[in-house]
Amino acid sequence: TVADLKGVKEGKLCLTVVTTGKYFIPRLLGSFCQIYPHVDVSLQVTNHHQIHQRMLENKDDLYILSKPPEDIDLERRAFLDNPLVVVAPKNHILSNQKNIPLSKLQNFPFILREVGSNTRKVIHKIFDDHNLEIQVRLELGSNEAIKQAIIGGLGLSVLSKHTLTSSCYEELCILDVETFPIHESWYVTHLSGKKLSVVAQTFLDYLLVESENYTADRQYDLAHSHH
Ligand code: PGA
């Protein structure tokens, strides 16, 4: 068939990506599906805990996340930086300060993600490691809702830089806090025993090549290149 001649792949691709992956993976899937229009994609976006559950049930071909679980035998490849940053409303009183001591964050209320989120765990860990108290003002189950709550003046939060698209910088800013950004990576993983389908292997290879042209700083650079 014509499809075979062009090397076109057919079949289903099941992916689950961590919440912050939704700012990157759908676009990449778009260009992938233009090359391989006969691939039928199922994309789930969820937090680390839910991805762990899906792995235990062997639900997907590939999983994209920043903290691959230790208790599951996985093949993993780090492919992109996932820096975590302290986010504040644009005109926050700390917004022009450099190298803000971590302890200053105790004076401000925080907005946390839901239980099961790795971002939430990282915030708790950094406060605990430095014997600091965190003032939790509220918990929200989505990065987008947290951004809106920050804009609304409800508090500060720690988010992946990937969640900050260029338009966010009109209303939000990143605080220059010591020990931040926290450097995490995204990993693409699959269960070790699992033989990948041709489609899944093709997408994995595509992801590794394409992500080389992308960084979490891209949106920030776009937002700041205009002035
Ligand atoms: P989370 O992970 O949704 O579990 O907080 C996000 C991330 O690691 O980027």
Side-chain angles (χ1 to χ4, degrees), residues 56-70:
L56 291 175
E57 294 169 21
N58 186 18
K59 289 259 199 207
D60 306 287
D61 299 310
L62 300 169
Y63 306 86
I64 292 169
L65 74 176
S66 21
K67 207 140 182 63
E70 305 284 337

Side-chain angles (χ1 to χ4, degrees), residues 6 10 14 30 32 46 56 63 83 98 101 111 115 140 146 150 153-154 174 225:
K6 284 193 189 160
E10 283 190 3
C14 292
F32 181 75
T46 188
L56 291 175
Y63 306 86
K98 296 266 169 272
I111 307 161
V115 173
L140 292 172
I146 289 180
I150 297 169
L154 285 165
I174 294 175
S225 63

Side-chain angles (χ1 to χ4, degrees), residues 90 166-172 219-227:
K90 184 96 194 184
S166 47
S167 62
C168 290
Y169 291 103
E170 288 164 20
E171 295 177 293
L172 293 170
Q219 303 297 341
Y220 180 84
D221 294 344
L222 282 174
H224 290 80
S225 63
H226 304 306
H227 27 87

Side-chain angles (χ1 to χ4, degrees), residues 18-20 47-48 66 82 113 117-119 186:
V18 80
T19 59
T20 56
N47 68 25
H48 273 75
S66 21
N82 185 25
R113 285 277 308 283
S117 147
N118 181 56
T119 314
W186 276 332

Side-chain angles (χ1 to χ4, degrees), residues 33-226:
C33 290
Q34 278 184 0
I35 308 172
Y36 305 111
H38 301 287
V39 173
D40 179 15
V41 181
S42 155
L43 173 67
Q44 301 291 320
V45 179
T46 188
N47 68 25
H48 273 75
H49 176 71
Q50 297 299 330
I51 293 187
H52 186 244
Q53 292 304 114
R54 292 183 74 86
M55 286 173 168
L56 291 175
E57 294 169 21
N58 186 18
K59 289 259 199 207
D60 306 287
D61 299 310
L62 300 169
Y63 306 86
I64 292 169
L65 74 176
S66 21
K67 207 140 182 63
E70 305 284 337
D71 61 341
I72 299 181
D73 200 4
L74 295 171
E75 300 288 326
R76 61 176 81 181
R77 287 283 298 269
F79 69 94
L80 199 61
D81 60 323
N82 185 25
L84 301 180
V85 293
V86 183
V87 184
K90 184 96 194 184
N91 296 317
H92 193 268
I93 97 176
L94 298 178
S95 62
N96 291 321
Q97 293 191 26
K98 296 266 169 272
N99 206 23
I100 300 160
L102 204 52
S103 59
K104 273 216 174 170
L105 296 184
Q106 293 182 111
N107 306 332
F108 300 93
F110 265 75
I111 307 161
L112 290 188
R113 285 277 308 283
E114 76 286 359
V115 173
S117 147
N118 181 56
T119 314
R120 173 194 176 103
K121 269 195 198 155
V122 171
I123 304 180
H124 274 310
K125 182 168 188 324
I126 198 150
F127 274 80
D128 286 352
D129 287 353
H130 293 84
N131 288 315
L132 300 174
E133 293 281 332
I134 183 164
Q135 282 186 52
V136 180
R137 164 73 72 73
L138 83 155
E139 293 186 8
L140 292 172
S142 98
N143 299 314
E144 283 303 304
I146 289 180
K147 279 157 40 180
Q148 295 304 321
I150 297 169
I151 293 168
L154 285 165
L156 308 179
S157 195
V158 173
L159 292 170
S160 159
K161 204 167 176 184
H162 288 285
T163 68
L164 302 175
T165 53
S166 47
S167 62
C168 290
Y169 291 103
E170 288 164 20
E171 295 177 293
L172 293 170
C173 68
I174 294 175
L175 298 184
D176 179 9
V177 179
E178 65 172 359
T179 81
F180 284 90
I182 294 171
H183 290 285
E184 298 210 313
S185 296
W186 276 332
Y187 291 84
V188 55
T189 72
H190 62 88
L191 299 180
S192 288
K194 185 155 174 142
K195 176 150 173 35
L196 289 185
S197 67
V198 173
V199 167
Q201 186 64 53
T202 307
F203 181 73
L204 175 59
D205 296 341
Y206 185 78
L207 173 74
L208 296 177
V209 170
E210 291 298 310
S211 56
E212 283 177 11
N213 305 318
Y214 194 95
T215 77
D217 295 328
R218 206 179 71 142
Q219 303 297 341
Y220 180 84
D221 294 344
L222 282 174
H224 290 80
S225 63
H226 304 306

